Amino acid sequence: MTDFSDVFDTEMVGRWAAPGRVNLIGEHTDYNDGFVFPMAIDRTTTITVGRRDDRLLRVASTFEDGLHEMSLDALDPEAMSGWSAYVFGIAWALGQKLPEVLGLPSAASALSGAMGLDIFVESSVPVGAGLSSSAALECAAAVCFAELWSLDVTRQFLASVGQLAENDAVGAPTGIMDQSASLLGQADSAVFLDCRSLDAEVIGLGFGVASLELLVIDTHVEHAHATGGYVERRASCEKGAALMGVPSLRDLDVDDLPRASSILDDVTFRRVRHILTENQRVLDTVRTLRTNGPGAIGPLLDASHVSMRDDFEISVPELDLAVATSQDAGAIGARMTGGGFGGAAIALVPTALRDAVSAAVLDAFAAADYREPTIFAVHAADGAHRVD
Ligand code: ADP
Ligand code: MG
């Protein structure tokens, strides 16, 4: 299936697009109520939408043949599965959250005036490369539904709707970073997000003016224990906070490290040290961008990688090689990005060295007999929007 009219015979009313994201810095800090600094990228998921005169949502994607449907009157996470849960889940989550913000009596009442839609999905966000194709799909659906159903809500609210859909309809225990980046991002900027207050500030990056480019190096490594590793790291952070007598690691900062080292066992201490220093690195990155510009943030990216490799222990040899090779070939900073145990690294490189860095990483992977990575540049782009 290649386009809307191959599948649907309703009249097309519009198209909405939402970007994937790259997290520049601030890893595993989200569920510790800390700071993250992601940017929306120039890879998007686009939905083409037709208005129906009944209450059915029908979805199709270039991913597979066939279509999935669900009535707005029968939205139920238990009945959702597969990729369509990302779209149906947004409608369900709107029903759950709208009554509170709009002062409505029930979930059913929230969408009682909504009409059904035919939705065709296509995307240039690679799946599972750590660029959040899931949030791109959710956020495209969220801005489309908000507009077509005349819901007067903020983008921050839609981010929380996306998170609820991903947590409870899809069943993935993720934070709110990806949706915030996809909804609040702006060209040439990143989103400085406080995961406790949910305050978000858009900070200019200035990569282009400084002749810098951000490369994504997708190692294609997927580790079976990624989910287990994530759960275990979360548990270590909770244990560290409890032993330190605070609700969350956000309530500590780097000045608390000496006390932490006297109280905590070695492993828990190193997990805690990653979170506290990573929060500080996010703050330092934002401050450095403002005072010295993007050419000065490289050491913070490098230090973030060392912390994830040695203290949080979520890197893998392929990511370490991608980072070290990029640095040797002229990147001003590099780090693994995303949850770890595989996925992608990012390297901030002078534009003139972009091809040399890519070639060096490809050579190093070939020499190590690792699977060939996919390397591409990404640019900070606008968040979810109507296309036409
Ligand atoms: P990512 O890191 O890319 O977000 P996830 O596992 O969180 O990886 O989300 C990927 C899932 O999102 C896919 O398996 C699929 O279910 C859904 N998805 C993403 N893009 C599309 C698309 N264009 N069409 C259909 N489903 C999609
Ligand atoms: Mg995802």
Side-chain angles (χ1 to χ4, degrees):
M1 267 178 291
T2 53
D3 70 31
F4 181 85
S5 58
D6 288 343
V7 199
F8 300 118
D9 49 20
T10 41
E11 192 188 340
M12 197 257 259
V13 293
R15 302 170 76 219
W16 286 259
R21 64 98 188 92
V22 159
N23 190 23
L24 272 179
I25 194 160
E27 221 66 76
H28 285 260
T29 45
D30 57 348
Y31 57 81
N32 287 296
D33 281 353
F35 303 112
V36 294
F37 195 45
M39 64 184 219
I41 59 173
D42 50 350
R43 297 276 187 135
T44 56
T45 295
T46 303
I47 60 173
T48 305
V49 181
R51 206 191 288 270
R52 300 178 57 79
D53 51 17
D54 59 15
R55 299 258 297 159
L56 275 185
L57 287 181
R58 301 199 300 167
V59 294
S61 165
T62 54
F63 267 32
E64 56 163 39
D65 289 338
L67 82 131
H68 304 268
E69 63 177 50
M70 187 169 279
S71 166
L72 285 169
D73 300 308
L75 293 168
D76 173 9
E78 295 292 313
M80 299 176 191
S81 64
W83 72 266
S84 60
Y86 291 92
V87 181
F88 298 148
I90 293 292
W92 169 79
L94 279 169
Q96 297 299 301
K97 281 186 166 273
L98 276 172
E100 199 183 321
V101 293
L102 298 183
L104 298 168
S106 67
S109 67
L111 298 180
S112 59
M115 294 309 291
L117 302 168
D118 284 339
I119 300 168
F120 185 80
V121 181
E122 54 203 310
S123 182
S124 62
V125 188
V127 169
L131 302 182
S132 205
S133 65
S134 54
L137 179 53
E138 290 155 10
C139 295
V143 290
C144 166
F145 295 171
E147 184 176 336
L148 290 180
W149 296 339
S150 304
L151 309 173
D152 185 17
V153 291
T154 64
R155 288 193 164 226
Q156 260 106 341
F157 172 81
L158 292 179
S160 71
V161 166
Q163 184 190 13
L164 181 64
E166 187 142 352
N167 292 169
D168 289 13
V170 176
T174 55
I176 199 168
M177 168 170 73
D178 300 353
Q179 295 83 3
S180 300
S182 184
L183 286 158
L184 302 173
Q186 289 179 19
D188 203 24
S189 305
V191 180
F192 172 39
L193 179 70
D194 179 336
C195 296
R196 172 165 272 176
S197 66
L198 300 186
D199 285 345
E201 197 180 344
V202 175
I203 310 282
L205 291 171
F207 286 171
V209 171
S211 297
L212 292 170
E213 196 128 32
L214 193 70
L215 291 182
V216 172
I217 303 161
D218 179 5
T219 65
H220 302 293
V221 175
E222 275 176 67
H223 271 264
H225 60 267
T227 308
Y230 179 85
V231 171
E232 200 188 312
R233 295 305 182 280
R234 267 187 102 129
S236 287
C237 293
E238 279 163 26
K239 177 180 169 191
L243 290 170
M244 291 292 285
V246 290
S248 140
L249 291 181
R250 171 60 185 279
D251 298 296
L252 304 174
D253 63 32
V254 287
D255 294 337
D256 293 298
L257 284 171
R259 186 167 68 90
S261 82
S262 69
I263 292 177
L264 305 175
D265 63 87
D266 173 61
V267 170
T268 310
F269 172 67
R270 286 186 293 113
R271 304 298 187 248
V272 169
R273 182 165 62 186
H274 167 70
I275 300 300
L276 303 192
T277 58
E278 187 78 351
N279 275 329
Q280 187 61 48
R281 280 186 289 272
V282 176
L283 297 173
D284 289 346
T285 300
V286 172
R287 186 175 40 77
T288 302
L289 277 168
R290 287 180 165 141
T291 54
N292 298 319
I297 68 170
L300 293 161
L301 303 181
D302 296 342
S304 173
H305 185 76
V306 170
S307 180
M308 286 188 282
R309 185 190 66 197
D310 299 345
D311 275 355
F312 221 57
E313 296 182 282
I314 54 171
S315 190
V316 293
E318 291 86 345
L319 288 167
D320 292 340
L321 183 66
V323 166
T325 309
S326 303
Q327 290 163 337
D328 289 347
I332 67 162
R335 58 185 285 276
M336 53 154 284
T337 184
F341 307 102
I346 52 173
L348 188 59
V349 301
T351 306
L353 293 178
R354 187 183 72 186
D355 294 343
V357 170
S358 298
V361 172
L362 289 171
D363 284 350
F365 271 61
D369 228 2
Y370 292 157
R371 186 172 162 191
E372 186 177 317
T374 305
I375 307 177
F376 50 94
V378 291
H379 303 96
D382 284 336
H385 57 277
R386 186 169 184 157
V387 184
D388 54 37

